[in-house]
Amino acid sequence: AIEPGSKVGMFLRNYAKQFVVLEAKIKSALSSGVKNAKYYDQAARTVACIAEGLHQANRHPNEMDQIGFFMLAPQKQIEDGVFTKEMESRSIKQKVTRRVSEYKGEKDKWLSEWFFPTLSRIEIRSLSWESVIGWIYDLDDHAGEELFSFYAKCLEFN
């Protein structure tokens, strides 16, 4: 939660034009469930949290230039579809709507006024470590080589 009057809340409310969350994975999938809702996975929670952050900052999604949730993972995991179902907008909508329904109408207004507008604006995408490291390499070959070497060790030892 963003504390009222906090620096983060004030920045988001007054200055931010982008709200992007980057989730990085090496050899794991998105986490599944919470204690009282086993179906409510990490992708659904993350997008709902973005909507709630905007709500708490009183910044409507239409006021933002970019809203995003990006999964950074090995190309092989992306190709194998490890994140595909969870990262689909339809899946996220279904899970958040189900979770909100468990509050017996208490959160319906939030769903319609904050979550649905956020979901309609958000870019949800998986990016491979390999492509991101390639982009870095194109800008700075030394940094790209160092990062790729570190990434290879992460794959080996993680």
Side-chain angles (χ1 to χ4, degrees), residues 3-71:
E3 295 294 323
S6 72
K7 288 181 181 180
V8 172
M10 289 174 53
F11 181 80
L12 184 56
R13 180 173 29 264
N14 297 318
Y15 305 106
K17 290 293 192 179
Q18 298 178 321
F19 193 152
V20 176
V21 173
L22 177 67
E23 177 65 36
K25 299 289 185 184
I26 292 290
K27 288 193 176 179
S28 62
L30 289 164
S31 64
S32 60
V34 293
K35 183 178 179 183
N36 296 318
K38 300 298 181 200
Y39 63 88
Y40 195 56
D41 62 44
Q42 188 175 4
R45 287 192 315 270
T46 299
V47 175
C49 285
I50 291 169
E52 179 58 14
L54 291 169
H55 175 220
Q56 288 185 22
N58 198 29
R59 285 293 299 275
H60 194 273
N62 290 339
E63 296 176 49
M64 305 300 285
D65 290 345
Q66 181 184 25
I67 305 170
F69 173 44
F70 300 104
M71 170 65 56

Side-chain angles (χ1 to χ4, degrees), residues 128-138 143-145 147-148 151:
S128 74
W129 279 105
E130 293 83 351
S131 65
V132 171
I133 293 170
W135 296 330
I136 293 169
Y137 186 84
D138 289 345
E145 288 173 15
L147 192 52
F148 185 79
Y151 172 64

